[in-house]
Amino acid sequence: MENRRLTSLFEISGSVLAMAYALLIASNTGNELIGFTLLLVSSALFAAWALIDKRWTFLLLQGFYATSAVIGLIRWA
């Protein structure tokens, strides 16, 4: 039961942060660093969810998103 509550927390917060990231990047208002930081945190939350639920392909996808976030942070820094 505890794992289910934890995965729900990771899923919901990761989703909200990913939506905020998308809006910040799409708005083109100079908030790219904040947006890519949110993407990095979101991918970490989703990665934790994937580890708990043993969803290995989803974990691999989060590695890609985390790498994209780091590239974005470097590019916009």
Side-chain angles (χ1 to χ4, degrees):
M1 185 63 165
E2 181 62 28
N3 279 352
R4 181 67 193 135
R5 295 180 79 173
L6 200 54
T7 57
S8 291
L9 174 69
F10 291 157
E11 178 183 8
I12 292 166
S13 56
S15 296
V16 169
L17 291 177
M19 288 184 276
Y21 148 77
L23 290 172
L24 284 171
I25 297 301
S27 69
N28 197 23
T29 55
N31 293 308
E32 288 81 10
L33 283 175
I34 295 169
F36 284 113
T37 301
L38 292 178
L39 177 61
L40 187 59
V41 174
S42 172
S43 69
L45 290 166
F46 280 137
W49 173 31
L51 283 170
I52 292 169
D53 272 1
K54 296 181 173 99
R55 297 175 183 262
W56 309 121
T57 305
F58 192 65
L59 180 62
L60 180 64
L61 179 64
Q62 297 319 305
F64 169 78
Y65 285 142
T67 302
S68 297
V70 170
I71 291 169
L73 286 168
I74 291 169
R75 185 182 184 295
W76 290 98

